[in-house]
Amino acid sequence: MLNTKNPLYSTTDLQELTKRYSGKLLLRQEIDMTQDEFSSAIKHQLFSETPPFKSKSFFYQCQRCGNNKKYYLGTIPCAVCQKNHYYCRKCVEMGRVMTCTPLYIWNGPEANWEMHENPCTWSGELTSVQEKASKRMVEAIQNREKVLLIWAVCGAGKTEMLFPGITEALKMGKRICLATPRADVVRELFPRFKEAFQDVSIQALYGGSPDKAGNAQLILATTHQLIRYQEAFDLMIIDEVDAFPFHMDPSLPFAANRAKKTTSTTIYLTATPRKIHRKLVEQKKIPHVFVPIRYHGFPLPVPTLTLCFSLKKQLKLNQYPTPFLKWYQKRKNPSRQLLIFVSTIDLAQNLKKSHDFQLKVESVHAEDPEREEKVQLFRKKKIDILLTTTILERGVTFPSVDVAVIDASHDVFDEAALVQIAGRAGRNSNDPTGEVVFFHDGKTNAMVQAIRSIQKMNKRGEALK
């Protein structure tokens, strides 16, 4: 604990440091102090060291990301002690963790977060179905339940459903993190939360984000950013818990679990739960609430399937499949923008140049440096047709689009991805339909199951009307 007999900082300075570093697990270079200041902080027990690796019988485990796979361990000569050291290649993009570089944990007083009287400035209203889910979330927070799963269809208004629960947590003086696997979703949510909680300190953390401090009471972050936290949050909301890479990368659930306090509540949000969560729901082993209807009351668009006999041949020549071009010419509402999903970055870039639609056409993918700008331009209707990989399959909202998936039989389009892609259409109450077409050269189980899943959701939603 903090040595209070010889305090290093004034009360105000200490409170500021506490909010900046409490609940953090950091490398030395991530602590913004001069060496003299840091040495004094260590002397006065504001930080404690923890070894970067834990040695087990046959392997080392990285104590930051939890990696214990030998193929993720590299060796590198140390410039300080001239020895070869292990380092973790799994989380190296967040700063290199080496055998001789300890991690530091804040050991000073715990942060006292503000208890807000009326934190929510959102003036909208929830539907009866949304309200049921939000009330259940409030109950979970008040009763300090460990976990709650909210299973809500694409376009159900999950973000707005969170507001009452977050409001309750802020009234109780809790610290909150909303984590999601993808940076695009964080960028989409940040302005909405700033508008809804105007007097609350909020920060968005993702790779390349302008704000790096991570000292706000309400944090929106990619799940990758959670490897810098330890026992920091009273309420952890994990949006799109089924999304890649969260469900495929063990270090991300590891980091998310470590970032929670032992007394925390975790809310999982998903429109397309994976088998593990579906099984837990069926066996009644996880508390859950189901929202099977969109906020505007209209059903999810059911995709149609269009067979393309020469699909692979035409794509190899960087040509749009002929059935796609025929459908494009006969769309029911040609005034809608068009969102086209393809399987690879190369295909997105090449198809962009291959046809003169006499409209503004762009492509976007994970490695595109103009990705954020293009998405905003599409949202503002400055772009008519946007070719994209699966990076835009979820978490982004456009008011009036048709959706096409070219080569829907490709294995990158699993059931969850296809359901989420279909969910991009018909999200606005002024245009609640939208066409969704899967262009393929042979039906896959994923395509069939995605359509069945959407039809099942619509049936459950209809029963509530």
Side-chain angles (χ1 to χ4, degrees):
M1 292 298 293
L2 175 66
N3 182 354
T4 55
K5 293 180 180 179
N6 187 11
L8 183 61
Y9 302 98
S10 69
T11 301
T12 303
D13 289 341
L14 188 57
Q15 287 175 350
E16 185 178 333
L17 281 174
T18 299
K19 288 190 175 181
R20 186 175 183 89
Y21 295 115
S22 179
K24 296 278 188 70
L25 182 67
L26 301 172
L27 294 167
R28 169 63 185 94
Q29 62 264 31
E30 294 173 317
I31 300 172
D32 187 20
M33 293 181 177
T34 66
Q35 189 53 47
D36 286 345
E37 289 171 338
F38 183 67
S39 297
S40 295
I42 290 288
K43 179 181 177 181
H44 290 85
Q45 302 174 39
L46 290 177
F47 291 96
S48 60
E49 293 186 5
T50 186
F53 291 97
K54 185 178 285 186
S55 177
K56 301 217 171 174
S57 52
F58 297 106
F59 58 86
Y60 284 95
Q61 184 181 39
C62 174
Q63 294 304 286
R64 185 170 68 166
C65 73
N67 165 56
N68 58 15
K69 304 296 183 185
K70 191 173 181 180
Y71 51 80
Y72 278 126
L73 284 179
T75 57
I76 193 170
C78 178
V80 178
C81 60
Q82 309 302 316
K83 295 180 180 178
N84 281 344
H85 289 304
Y86 283 119
Y87 75 97
C88 181
R89 292 190 290 112
K90 185 74 175 67
C91 60
V92 69
E93 64 183 21
M94 308 288 283
R96 185 182 291 137
V97 174
M98 293 176 59
T99 312
C100 68
T101 55
L103 295 163
Y104 294 94
I105 302 169
W106 177 256
N107 197 43
E110 286 193 22
N112 292 317
W113 300 98
E114 185 177 350
M115 298 176 72
H116 298 263
E117 188 175 346
N118 293 298
C120 188
T121 50
W122 181 64
S123 59
E125 293 185 4
L126 298 176
T127 67
S128 59
V129 181
Q130 288 176 318
E131 193 171 351
K132 179 183 175 183
S134 67
K135 282 183 176 179
R136 182 65 185 86
M137 178 178 169
V138 170
E139 288 174 7
I141 294 165
Q142 290 173 334
N143 299 330
R144 295 188 177 183
E145 295 179 39
K146 283 294 183 184
V147 65
L148 173 67
L149 173 69
I150 298 179
W151 181 352
V153 298
C154 298
K158 291 194 295 293
T159 301
E160 289 74 18
M161 282 188 275
L162 294 176
F163 292 164
I166 292 173
T167 297
E168 182 64 23
L170 290 169
K171 286 181 178 180
M172 298 168 71
K174 293 179 180 289
R175 194 180 191 195
I176 303 143
C177 178
L178 192 160
T180 182
R182 301 192 179 183
D184 296 280
V185 181
V186 177
R187 285 191 285 261
E188 169 104 359
L189 291 177
F190 184 54
R192 295 169 67 182
F193 274 82
K194 289 283 285 183
E195 181 67 24
F197 297 95
Q198 294 175 15
D199 299 321
V200 178
S201 60
I202 306 176
Q203 290 167 343
L205 303 179
Y206 52 88
S209 60
D211 201 331
K212 306 291 184 186
N215 58 349
Q217 186 169 3
L218 174 54
I219 296 286
L220 309 182
T222 57
T223 47
H224 285 84
Q225 296 294 322
L226 296 182
I227 71 166
R228 294 193 176 104
Y229 287 89
Q230 178 168 308
E231 295 187 23
F233 301 105
D234 304 286
L235 174 61
M236 176 68 74
I237 303 167
I238 302 182
D239 192 13
E240 310 289 2
V241 66
D242 61 293
F244 178 86
F246 189 82
H247 77 285
M248 294 288 288
D249 186 345
S251 67
L252 299 181
F254 172 88
N257 286 326
R258 187 186 58 206
K260 301 181 293 189
K261 291 182 180 179
T262 54
T263 57
S264 69
T265 296
T266 300
I267 308 294
Y268 292 119
L269 299 176
T270 180
T272 48
R274 299 282 168 178
K275 286 183 180 179
I276 183 171
H277 282 120
R278 291 188 186 191
K279 189 173 182 179
L280 289 171
V281 167
E282 289 169 2
Q283 295 175 345
K284 299 183 178 179
K285 291 183 177 180
I286 183 172
H288 72 281
V289 58
F290 189 68
V291 184
I293 190 169
R294 290 182 148 187
Y295 78 94
H296 51 51
F298 289 86
L300 290 155
V302 179
T304 57
L305 304 180
T306 299
L307 182 64
C308 308
F309 291 103
S310 302
L311 184 139
K312 291 291 192 294
K313 181 180 178 181
Q314 289 187 287
L315 292 183
K316 194 172 181 179
L317 296 171
N318 296 320
Q319 298 174 351
Y320 286 94
T322 302
F324 166 82
L325 295 175
K326 290 180 178 178
W327 166 78
Y328 175 79
Q329 294 295 333
K330 297 179 181 178
R331 281 195 299 157
K332 297 173 185 176
N333 187 349
S335 65
R336 289 191 190 116
Q337 292 170 281
L338 180 57
L339 195 57
I340 304 174
F341 286 85
V342 294
S343 55
T344 67
I345 292 173
D346 286 344
L347 193 55
Q349 293 174 326
N350 292 334
L351 286 180
K352 171 191 166 184
K353 312 166 191 172
S354 72
H355 191 279
D356 183 12
F357 288 101
Q358 297 183 333
L359 294 168
K360 178 66 174 174
V361 182
E362 277 293 353
S363 65
V364 67
H365 52 83
E367 298 172 14
D368 188 344
E370 298 177 354
R371 163 181 171 183
E372 185 177 355
E373 180 184 350
K374 288 177 181 177
V375 171
Q376 290 300 328
L377 288 173
F378 188 69
R379 185 173 284 114
K380 293 175 181 177
K381 299 191 175 182
K382 303 289 186 182
I383 295 172
D384 302 295
I385 299 174
L386 188 62
L387 287 141
T388 179
T389 57
T390 54
I391 60 158
L392 296 185
E393 74 178 34
R394 61 180 75 218
V396 291
T397 298
F398 306 112
S400 180
V401 296
D402 285 333
V403 176
V405 183
I406 293 179
D407 196 11
S409 350
H410 195 284
D411 56 12
V412 74
F413 298 115
D414 61 12
E415 177 190 344
L418 290 172
V419 171
Q420 290 282 356
I421 286 168
R424 297 314 98 202
R427 296 177 74 90
N428 193 291
S429 57
N430 294 321
D431 185 15
T433 54
E435 293 183 70
V436 181
V437 187
F438 296 163
F439 295 92
H440 66 95
D441 59 357
K443 281 193 295 187
T444 62
N445 286 334
M447 293 160 61
V448 173
Q449 290 302 322
I451 292 172
R452 286 178 180 170
S453 177
I454 291 169
Q455 290 171 331
K456 185 177 180 181
M457 291 177 194
N458 286 342
K459 187 174 180 180
R460 291 187 67 167
E462 188 63 31
L464 292 177
K465 292 183 180 180

